C-alpha cells in the first residue's frame, strides 16, 4: 500500500499553511507521499551520448581554450533530467576530458574521488602521488581523495578520457575541499609502474600500512583486464543478468577500489540477452568493445565503442550485444552499501 495521498484543501487549512510557513514550518501530510516514495523516484533519466559528436565538440573546445587555462578542459555530461547541475546521476558526475599533444592540465587536489576511463588516443600521462602512469584505451585509473594529480600528453595524438567523480555526493554532504599546487607538474618520486608491481601482483609489502581508503593501485590496465575476461569465459558460466561481470577491487582488503564509487567491467558474448535487472545504484556505462542495444525502462539505446549511457536508479535494464561486447561501468553502490540502503532485484518484478 502507498502512503497517504495529499489531503483536500480548505480555506482554513490554506490559512494555516500560510501562517506556519512564515515561521519556517510546513505540513508533512501535504508532501509525505512525494518524499517517502514506495519505490525510487528520480529526476535522472536514461540517456546515451555518442562518442563521434562528442569528440568533434571537444576538438572545437581545443581551439578555444588550452588545458592549462581551463585547468581541466572537460565537457560535462549533463543528465537531461538534471540539467545545469553537473550530474550524470543524482550522486555522480561524468565528463569527457581532452589533453592535446604537448599540453599539461596543472597539478591540483581535492576531496572528491576521481576515476579516468581512457577512451581515445594513447600515451598521455597522469601523475598521482609522485608516480606517473601512461594511459591506454580501456585503462581504469584512480585519483584518490586529496591526492595531487596533473595530466600531460607527450604523445602525438589527442587524448580523451571519461572522468567519473563523486562531485554531487560531496556537495550533498558539503564536504568539498580543493587547492592548486601552483605548479604545472608535481615532483615525480617513484618509477612508472611501481604501484602496479608493488600492489597488483597478489602481494603486498610485508609491513604495508594502509593510507586512506582508495586502492594503492592507480592504473588497472585494460590489457590485463581483457586477458582475464577472455580466460574466464572458457568456463562459460554466464550470470543471466550480467554476463561475466567483475568489480575492480582494492587489493588491501578485497573491497571496492574506491571509497565512494564502484567500478565494474563485464563481458557480454554475442547472442546473449540479459535477464531484466534493477538496482538502486544508478550506473554510468562506457562501451569498450562491440555494439548492441540496452533497453532501460521503455527506451532502447543502440551503442557502439566509446558511447556512454546512463541507467537511473531502479530502472529495469536489459543488454543485448550484437557481437562480443565489453562494458565498463561505475555507480555509487559502495556508498549505498556502507549506508545499508543498496537494493537490487532480478527478473521482471
Ligand atoms: O582531472 O582533476 O572532469 O578536478 C572535473 C574535476 C576532472 C581532474 C573533472 C577535476 C578533474
Amino acid at each position: 500500500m502507498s502512503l497517504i495521498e495529499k489531503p483536500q484543501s480548505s480555506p482554513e487549512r490554506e490559512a494555516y499553511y500560510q501562517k506556519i510557513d512564515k515561521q519556517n514550518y510546513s505540513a508533512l501530510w501535504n508532501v509525505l507521499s512525494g518524499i517517502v516514495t514506495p519505490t525510487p523516484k528520480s529526476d535522472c533519466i536514461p540517456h546515451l551520448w555518442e562518442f563521434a559528436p562528442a569528440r568533434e565538440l571537444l576538438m572545437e573546445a581545443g581551439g578555444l581554450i588550452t588545458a592549462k587555462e581551463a585547468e581541466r578542459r572537460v565537457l560535462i555530461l549533463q543528465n537531461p533530467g538534471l540539467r545545469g547541475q553537473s550530474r550524470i546521476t543524482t550522486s555522480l558526475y561524468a565528463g569527457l576530458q581532452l589533453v592535446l599533444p604537448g599540453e599539461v592540465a596543472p597539478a591540483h587536489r581535492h576531496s572528491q574521488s576521481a576515476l579516468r576511463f581512457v577512451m581515445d588516443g594513447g600515451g598521455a600521462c597522469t601523475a598521482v602521488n609522485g608516480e606517473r602512469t601512461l594511459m591506454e584505451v580501456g585503462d581504469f585509473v584512480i585519483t584518490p581523495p586529496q591526492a595531487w594529480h596533473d595530466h600531460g600528453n607527450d604523445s602525438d595524438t589527442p587524448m580523451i578520457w571519461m572522468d567519473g567523480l563523486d562531485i554531487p555526493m560531496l556537495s550533498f554532504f558539503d564536504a568539498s575541499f580543493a587547492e592548486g599546487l601552483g605548479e604545472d607538474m608535481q615532483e615525480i618520486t617513484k618509477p612508472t609502474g611501481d604501484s602496479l608491481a608493488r600492489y597488483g601482483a597478489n602481494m603486498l609489502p610485508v609491513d604495508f600500512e594502509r593510507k586512506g581508503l582508495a586502492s594503492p593501485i592507480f592504473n588497472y590496465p585494460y590489457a590485463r583486464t581483457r586477458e582475464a575476461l577472455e580466460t574466464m569465459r572458457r568456463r562459460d558460466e554466464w550470470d543471466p543478468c550480467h554476463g561475466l561481470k567483475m568489480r575492480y577491487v582494492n587489493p588491501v582488503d578485497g573491497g571496492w577500489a574506491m571509497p565512494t564509487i564502484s567500478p565494474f567491467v563485464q563481458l557480454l558474448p554475442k547472442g546473449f540477452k540479459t535477464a531484466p535487472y534493477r538496482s538502486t545504484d544508478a550506473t554510468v556505462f562506457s562501451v569498450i568493445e562491440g555494439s548492441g542495444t540496452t533497453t532501460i525502462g521503455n527506451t532502447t539505446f543502440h551503442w557502439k565503442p566509446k558511447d556512454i549511457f546512463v541507467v537511473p536508479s531502479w530502472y529495469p535494464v536489459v543488454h543485448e550485444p550484437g557481437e562480443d561486447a565489453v562494458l565498463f561501468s561505475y555507480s555509487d553502490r559502495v556508498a549505498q552499501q556502507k549506508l545499508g540502503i543498496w537494493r537490487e532485484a532480478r527478473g521482471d518484478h
Side-chain angles (χ1 to χ4, degrees):
M1 257 255 309
S2 310
L3 299 174
I4 59 157
E5 290 304 311
K6 190 172 162 171
Q8 295 270 310
S9 177
S10 73
E12 292 84 352
R13 287 179 179 182
E14 289 307 320
Y16 175 77
Y17 301 146
Q18 281 184 18
K19 182 164 101 183
I20 66 172
D21 177 69
K22 291 197 187 77
Q23 295 173 63
N24 300 307
Y25 297 103
S26 70
L28 173 63
W29 57 88
N30 285 330
V31 295
L32 181 57
S33 60
I35 58 175
V36 181
T37 58
T39 53
K41 292 271 171 294
S42 180
D43 288 334
C44 176
I45 58 182
H47 192 72
L48 179 140
W49 289 262
E50 276 187 285
F51 183 70
R55 190 178 196 282
E56 261 181 49
L57 292 174
L58 271 171
M59 294 308 289
E60 196 179 332
L64 288 175
I65 190 163
T66 62
K68 188 166 172 166
E69 192 195 343
E71 185 147 338
R72 298 293 184 264
R73 191 204 288 112
V74 175
L75 291 184
I76 300 171
L77 277 64
Q78 296 283 357
N79 187 285
L82 304 162
R83 295 185 71 82
Q85 299 178 42
S86 303
R87 299 165 192 239
I88 188 160
T89 71
T90 305
S91 65
L92 293 170
Y93 160 104
L96 285 169
Q97 178 156 182
L98 168 69
V99 185
L100 291 169
E103 283 194 322
V104 174
H108 72 191
R109 65 175 180 177
H110 39 69
S111 51
Q112 287 82 0
S113 292
L115 67 81
R116 328 277 166 202
F117 190 71
V118 182
M119 305 196 55
D120 202 46
C125 275
T126 191
V128 174
N129 283 333
E131 182 179 337
R132 206 174 263 149
T133 188
L134 273 178
M135 297 192 282
E136 304 298 339
V137 170
D139 289 0
F140 158 61
V141 176
I142 298 175
T143 310
Q146 291 299 5
W148 292 110
H149 54 286
D150 47 85
H151 317 300
N153 187 351
D154 294 331
S155 82
D156 53 12
T157 47
M159 179 90 177
I160 297 173
W161 62 77
M162 175 173 70
D163 288 318
L165 285 90
D166 53 10
I167 291 173
M169 206 185 300
L170 268 77
S171 118
F172 174 79
F173 287 113
D174 287 331
S176 175
F177 294 89
E179 63 189 311
L181 183 63
E183 292 177 32
D184 281 357
M185 288 187 273
Q186 65 186 289
E187 193 191 344
I188 299 303
T189 55
K190 301 170 194 163
T192 294
D194 187 74
S195 300
L196 191 60
R198 208 169 288 265
Y199 310 112
N202 296 315
M203 299 184 283
L204 286 177
V206 65
D207 289 321
F208 176 78
E209 277 178 35
R210 145 173 233 165
K211 293 189 201 83
L213 297 175
S215 169
I217 300 172
F218 75 108
N219 188 348
Y220 293 70
Y222 187 58
R224 280 198 186 187
T225 301
R226 188 68 183 89
E227 192 191 335
L229 290 172
E230 208 50 41
T231 303
M232 281 183 277
R233 76 182 298 170
R234 291 187 211 140
R235 258 174 67 190
D236 225 13
E237 284 179 356
W238 306 97
D239 179 285
C241 295
H242 304 307
L244 175 52
K245 187 165 184 177
M246 307 295 286
R247 58 188 188 89
Y248 289 91
V249 302
N250 180 341
V252 175
D253 60 5
W256 297 95
M258 302 174 70
T260 52
I261 304 179
S262 291
F264 311 86
V265 66
Q266 73 198 99
L267 175 68
L268 297 164
K270 182 180 166 142
F272 195 82
K273 181 179 180 184
T274 63
Y277 175 82
R278 57 170 104 186
S279 60
T280 52
D281 53 322
T283 306
V284 180
F285 286 86
S286 172
V287 182
I288 315 176
E289 293 177 30
S291 60
T293 64
T294 294
T295 303
I296 308 168
N298 300 322
T299 319
T300 297
F301 296 92
H302 294 259
W303 41 258
K304 54 193 177 310
K306 306 181 196 210
D307 290 348
I308 295 171
F309 59 92
V310 61
V311 178
S313 168
W314 216 240
Y315 274 65
V317 52
V318 171
H319 302 295
E320 209 171 347
E323 51 192 322
D324 277 6
V326 184
L327 306 178
F328 172 82
S329 56
Y330 69 95
S331 77
D332 64 9
R333 185 176 304 184
V334 53
Q336 292 197 32
Q337 286 181 337
K338 282 176 189 165
L339 299 173
I341 57 177
W342 181 73
R343 263 216 221 186
E344 65 178 341
R346 287 164 173 265
D348 274 320
H349 49 285

